């Protein structure tokens, strides 16, 4: 007893061995441990996880950890009291069973998420504040193909909880046997209440149950994108509408079970909806579209309807209620007639419409197009694709009535002729004109002088229009002296004689020129182009112009000051041309392409290294005269440059 009273601290304890010489004495001591509280100083000790049998026999230990003996309910309660996301992630790595238990816990059920809000303004130093984790939804995760499984979603739900919270989740395709199901989506819903953007593409095993869980837990959801989800129906969409009032954008594509009821709920319960896109949904009709447009008309600004069975009635509703719509796209509406587009234009409701795209709609005619021009006072961009009943006369009438029109794009509108194009340029203040695959244009020389010019046109793009030749190009050149961007790719019929007048009439100075696929052009065009516009030219594309030789590169090296992007793929270029480029002191090329130039060999390595000081992209694909060893040396030397080979 005297020795016990004289004990002064931990350092006087005996650290090694046992107080007792045999196991019988040790067993007697432990036999009373259940009746007396024994205190020992904190020491590192061997973890005992199973009962021991003491005696003269050897101590045996149960191999199964005692924590696995606990029922799931107890484990869940333990997990709820884990302090932070990092620790929970560590627990999730132990086993799939623990991961599944962690995903069953909602974010708000963790003790660490409960913030002490009392006495926030108190000056007392005795108050200990418990700060909650930031959960603003900064993180983005994308799972594609075989990587999209329930296990990965569960890991994402647990792992992102302690690192700012999951804000955006994209699932694109999953296996039909072991892909994402309602379970995985439910795990995300419980663990990621901060989710704001959800995209589900080609997820065949997810149904309304999973989407309802998202709606129940993720009230901050702002954007929802559903594509090729065959088991999602109106039930899931109604749940989203009822629980996600912050929804601003909804996109639905190829979802055969979603129809009018879901859209009606979205229109009534989502007052912040700004963008809607519906494509190839057979159950969506006039009731759903008209209800959505009339209910959400106050803030709805972007509308895209494609491949739906709606009629003229829906277009009339859009024309009347679309007072906030700025971007409108209508595509593949086979049940809409000329009357629907005419009524939409004359309803005078699309006063804020800025961009309008119409594709594959038989109801677009000259009459309806003119009505649209008159009814959309602020329309600036118009795109017509595969509108086979629009002629040149209708186009001119539309251009005259649409006083604010700046950009016009025509694709596969085969009734538009050369006179229609010239008429449009002569009667409106266009800044940009694009013609793609318009087969009705024929190259005819007009003897009568052009009445007026289009000084506002800055950008001209005429692609793959075989009838647009030398005569048409010369007329456009005389009409549009302020061109800066010219794209004539795929015009096999134009020659040097047709292009030179356009180059000479461009007073403002060309900045971007694309002549790819113009097979008949020669070095003469490049010589004139660089002499006339070398002080302003920034991009030059001569891809496929097989009559272009080293003389063109020498002209570029001599005259171009600001050129940063040069493409001479599949041209008659050799090492001599590359050497000329490398000796130009004023050049500051960033992107250079020699793809398919068989005349470029290993001799150009020194010149390419010199050019590579400023390059960020170099294309040497299909240059068969360059060896693999030379390519490897270039890759090692030009490590800042992205080299394709």
């Amino acid at each position: 007893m005297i020795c016990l009273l004289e004990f002064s601290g931990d350092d006087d304890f005996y650290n090694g061995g046992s107080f007792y010489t045999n196991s019988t004495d040790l067993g007697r001591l432990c036999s009373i441990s259940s009746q007396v509280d024994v205190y020992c100083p904190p020491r590192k000790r061997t973890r005992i996880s199973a009962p021991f049998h003491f005696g003269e026999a050897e101590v045996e230990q149960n191999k199964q950890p005692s924590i696995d003996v606990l029922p799931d309910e107890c484990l869940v309660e333990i997990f709820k009291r884990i302090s932070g996301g990092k620790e929970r992630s560590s627990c999730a790595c132990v086993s799939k069973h623990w991961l599944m238990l962690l995903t069953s816990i909602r974010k708000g059920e963790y003790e660490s998420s409960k913030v002490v809000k009392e006495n926030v303004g108190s000056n007392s130093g005795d108050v200990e504040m418990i700060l909650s984790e930031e959960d603003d939804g900064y993180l983005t995760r994308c799972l594609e193909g075989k990587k999209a499984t329930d296990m990965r979603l569960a890991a994402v739900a647990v792992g992102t909880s302690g690192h700012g919270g999951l804000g955006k989740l994209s699932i694109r395709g999953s296996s039909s046997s072991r892909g994402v199901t309602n379970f995985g989506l439910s795990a995300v819903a419980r663990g990621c209440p901060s989710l704001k953007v959800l995209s589900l593409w080609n997820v065949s095993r997810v149904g309304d149950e999973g989407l309802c869980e998202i709606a129940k837990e993720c009230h901050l959801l702002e954007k929802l994108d559903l594509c090729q989800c065959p088991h999602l129906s109106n039930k899931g969409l109604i749940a989203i509408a009822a629980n996600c009032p912050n929804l601003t954008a909804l996109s639905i594509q190829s979802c055969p079970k979603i129809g009018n009821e879901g859209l009606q709920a979205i229109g009534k319960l989502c007052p912040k909806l700004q963008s809607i896109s519906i494509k190839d949904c057979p159950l969506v009709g006039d009731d759903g579209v008209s209800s959505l447009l009339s209910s959400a008309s106050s803030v709805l600004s972007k509308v895209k309807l494609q491949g739906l069975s709606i009629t003229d009635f829906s277009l009339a509703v859009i024309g009347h209620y679309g007072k906030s719509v700025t971007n409108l796209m209508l595509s593949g509406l086979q049940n809409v007639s000329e009357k629907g587009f005419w009524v939409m234009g004359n309803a005078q409701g699309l006063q804020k419409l800025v961009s309008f795209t119409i594709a594959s709609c038989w109801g677009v005619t000259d009459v309806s197009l003119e009505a649209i021009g008159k009814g959309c006072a602020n329309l600036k961009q118009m795109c017509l694709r595969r509108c086979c009943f629009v002629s040149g006369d209708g186009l001119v009438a539309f251009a005259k009535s649409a006083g604010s029109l700046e950009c016009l794009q025509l694709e596969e509108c085969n009734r538009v002729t050369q006179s229609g194009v010239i008429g449009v340029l002569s009667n409106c203040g266009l800044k940009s004109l694009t013609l793609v695959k318009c087969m009705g244009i024929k190259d005819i020389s007009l003897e009568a002088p052009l009445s007026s010019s289009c000084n506002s046109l800055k950008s001209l793009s005429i692609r793959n229009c075989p009838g647009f030749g030398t005569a048409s190009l010369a007329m456009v050149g005389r009409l549009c002296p302020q061109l800066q961007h010219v794209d004539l790719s795929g015009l096999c019929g134009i020659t040097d004689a047709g292009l030179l007048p356009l180059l000479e009439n461009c007073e403002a100075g060309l900045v971007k020129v694309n002549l790819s696929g113009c097979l008949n052009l020669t070095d003469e065009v490049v010589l004139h182009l660089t002499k006339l516009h070398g002080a302003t030219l920034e991009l030059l594309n001569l891809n496929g112009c097989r009559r272009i030789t080293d003389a063109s590169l020498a002209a570029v090296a001599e005259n171009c000051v600001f050129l940063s992007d040069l493409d001479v793929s599949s041209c008659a270029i050799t090492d001599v041309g590359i050497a000329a480029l490398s000796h130009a002191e004023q050049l500051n090329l960033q992107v250079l392409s020699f793809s398919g130039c068989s005349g470029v060999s290993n001799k150009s390595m020194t010149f390419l290294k010199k050019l590579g000081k400023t390059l960020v992209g170099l294309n040497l694909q299909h240059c068969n005269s360059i060896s693999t060893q030379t390519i490897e040396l270039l890759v090692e030397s030009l490590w800042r440059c992205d080299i394709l080979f």
Side-chain angles (χ1 to χ4, degrees):
M1 179 63 71
I2 297 174
C3 294
L4 179 61
L5 292 175
E6 291 178 352
F7 170 67
S8 60
D10 295 344
D11 295 335
D12 292 334
F13 269 92
Y14 179 65
N15 294 326
S18 172
F19 289 110
Y20 300 91
T21 57
N22 57 62
S23 58
T24 305
D25 296 332
L26 180 63
R28 290 172 182 173
L29 174 64
C30 293
S31 64
I32 63 172
S33 62
S34 59
Q35 301 175 5
V36 181
D37 292 332
V38 179
Y39 169 76
C40 293
R43 293 287 178 186
K44 290 185 178 179
R45 293 166 294 183
T46 304
R47 180 180 177 183
I48 300 175
S49 55
F52 283 86
H53 300 282
F54 294 97
E56 295 181 356
E58 185 178 355
V59 178
E60 295 182 359
Q61 181 179 4
N62 190 352
K63 294 182 179 181
Q64 184 182 13
S66 61
I67 195 169
D68 285 344
V69 180
L70 295 176
D72 289 348
E73 292 81 4
C74 293
L75 287 174
V76 168
E77 291 300 321
I78 293 173
F79 291 153
K80 286 181 180 180
R81 287 158 176 80
I82 295 177
S83 58
K86 184 177 181 180
E87 290 76 9
R88 292 194 289 270
S89 297
S90 299
C91 292
C93 294
V94 172
S95 66
K96 288 184 178 180
H97 179 61
W98 281 28
L99 175 60
M100 293 299 100
L101 291 178
L102 283 164
T103 57
S104 68
I105 305 173
R106 289 176 172 81
K107 181 70 182 229
E109 294 177 349
Y110 288 107
E111 290 293 331
S112 59
S113 66
K114 299 177 181 179
V115 185
V116 178
K117 296 184 178 180
E118 291 90 357
N119 301 322
V120 173
S122 174
N123 294 326
S124 173
D126 298 331
V127 179
E128 181 181 0
M129 300 300 300
I130 303 175
L131 299 178
S132 66
E133 296 174 349
E134 291 294 332
D135 196 13
D136 295 328
Y138 296 117
L139 299 181
T140 297
R141 293 291 181 268
C142 180
L143 304 182
E144 298 183 3
K146 295 180 180 179
K147 295 182 179 180
T149 63
D150 285 343
M151 290 296 104
R152 286 186 178 272
L153 277 183
V156 167
V158 175
T160 59
S161 62
H163 298 83
L166 185 64
K168 181 178 180 180
L169 175 63
S170 177
I171 305 173
R172 296 178 179 266
S174 64
S175 171
S176 58
S177 58
R178 54 186 297 270
V180 174
T181 66
N182 291 326
F183 176 83
L185 215 57
S186 299
V188 171
R190 289 189 290 268
C192 308
S194 60
L195 190 66
K196 296 179 181 179
V197 180
L198 175 63
S199 179
L200 303 176
W201 283 32
N202 193 20
V203 186
S204 59
R205 301 180 67 190
V206 170
D208 292 329
E209 181 183 346
L211 196 59
C212 288
E213 282 295 315
I214 291 289
K216 182 179 178 182
E217 303 293 339
C218 304
H219 303 299
L220 301 178
L221 192 68
E222 296 177 359
K223 297 181 181 180
L224 178 63
D225 184 5
L226 307 175
C227 179
Q228 296 181 11
C229 300
H231 296 298
L232 292 180
S233 69
N234 291 320
K235 180 181 178 182
L237 205 58
I238 292 172
I240 291 290
N243 295 279
C244 303
N246 293 324
L247 193 70
T248 60
L250 175 64
S251 178
I252 308 172
Q253 179 178 343
S254 302
C255 296
K257 291 186 178 181
I258 292 180
N260 296 327
E261 294 82 359
L263 294 182
Q264 289 171 346
I266 292 290
K268 293 178 181 177
L269 301 175
C270 298
K272 298 181 180 180
L273 190 67
Q274 299 176 9
S275 175
I276 181 72
S277 176
I278 310 170
K279 179 181 179 181
D280 298 331
C281 295
L283 295 183
V284 173
D286 288 330
D287 292 341
V289 172
S290 58
S291 176
L292 179 65
L293 264 295
S294 58
S295 301
S297 60
S298 59
V299 294
L300 193 61
S301 60
K302 296 182 180 180
V303 178
K304 179 180 179 180
L305 306 175
Q306 183 173 350
L308 306 179
S309 58
I310 59 176
T311 65
D312 295 341
F313 180 75
S314 293
L315 263 63
V317 173
I318 294 174
H320 183 75
Y321 288 100
K323 300 183 184 301
S324 299
V325 175
T326 58
N327 296 71
L328 177 61
M329 178 180 179
L330 305 175
S331 177
L333 306 181
Q334 304 301 325
N335 296 328
V336 176
S337 67
E338 178 186 67
K339 181 181 178 181
F341 284 99
W342 185 86
V343 171
M344 184 179 66
N346 283 283
Q348 301 294 318
L350 296 174
Q351 296 298 312
K352 292 185 179 181
L353 188 64
V354 175
S355 177
F356 195 6
T357 299
I358 306 176
S360 302
C361 294
W362 311 121
V364 181
T365 63
D366 292 345
V367 175
S368 59
L369 191 61
E370 184 178 4
I372 291 173
K374 292 179 179 178
C376 304
N378 293 296
L379 186 63
K380 297 183 183 298
Q381 301 175 5
M382 185 67 178
C383 178
L384 299 173
R385 298 192 183 108
R386 296 179 295 279
C387 295
C388 57
F389 294 113
V390 174
S391 69
D393 295 337
L395 208 58
V396 173
F398 167 74
K400 289 181 179 179
S401 60
S404 301
L405 191 65
E406 296 180 356
C407 178
L408 178 62
Q409 182 175 349
L410 306 175
E411 297 184 18
E412 299 183 45
C413 296
N414 296 326
R415 287 196 179 187
V416 175
T417 61
Q418 182 197 70
S419 60
V421 174
I422 300 300
V424 168
L425 292 175
S426 303
N427 290 280
C428 70
L430 278 181
K431 294 182 179 180
S432 174
L433 174 64
T434 300
L435 304 176
V436 181
K437 295 182 180 179
C438 294
M439 303 302 177
I441 298 177
K442 305 299 180 183
D443 199 40
I444 303 173
S445 297
L446 297 179
E447 298 181 358
L450 299 174
S451 58
S452 60
S453 61
C454 183
N455 292 317
S456 60
L457 195 70
K458 304 293 184 183
S459 176
L460 175 66
S461 178
I462 303 173
R463 306 194 301 270
N464 300 311
C465 298
F468 201 96
T470 299
S472 303
L473 200 59
M475 283 187 290
V476 170
R478 292 197 301 270
L479 266 175
C480 310
Q482 300 299 319
L483 284 176
Q484 295 181 349
H485 300 168
V486 175
D487 184 352
L488 304 177
S489 55
L491 299 188
C492 302
I494 64 172
T495 61
D496 295 348
L499 188 56
L500 288 176
L502 185 142
L503 299 179
E504 294 171 354
N505 289 324
C506 292
E507 302 172 357
L510 291 173
V511 178
K512 295 182 180 180
V513 177
N514 187 349
L515 302 174
S516 61
C518 298
L519 305 179
N520 294 317
L521 297 181
T522 68
D523 291 327
E524 184 181 0
V525 164
V526 180
L527 292 175
H528 281 77
L529 174 62
T530 55
K531 286 182 179 180
L532 294 171
H533 307 284
T536 57
L537 194 63
E538 297 178 4
L539 180 148
L540 178 59
N541 190 336
L542 300 170
N543 183 6
C545 300
R546 52 197 178 190
R547 300 176 68 181
I548 298 296
T549 67
D550 294 332
S552 294
L553 292 189
V556 168
E558 182 180 355
N559 299 302
C560 294
V561 180
F562 299 107
L563 190 68
S564 61
D565 192 328
L566 176 62
D567 190 343
V568 288
S569 301
S570 302
C571 295
I573 301 300
T574 67
D575 299 327
V576 176
I578 300 179
L581 275 182
S582 66
H583 288 107
E585 296 181 358
Q586 78 279 7
L587 268 183
N588 190 27
L589 285 172
Q590 296 182 1
V591 179
L592 184 58
S593 177
F594 295 111
S595 176
C597 295
S598 58
V600 178
S601 67
N602 295 331
K603 296 178 181 179
S604 294
M605 180 177 174
T606 304
F607 310 130
L608 291 174
K609 281 186 176 180
K610 187 175 181 181
L611 289 169
K613 294 179 180 179
T614 60
L615 288 178
V616 295
L618 176 63
N619 189 350
L620 297 175
Q621 291 179 314
H622 311 297
C623 294
N624 300 325
S625 299
I626 300 180
S627 65
T628 305
Q629 183 179 3
T630 301
I631 294 292
E632 292 176 353
L633 292 174
L634 280 175
V635 170
E636 182 179 353
S637 177
L638 307 179
W639 56 272
R640 290 188 179 91
C641 180
D642 185 12
I643 301 179
L644 298 178
F645 55 90

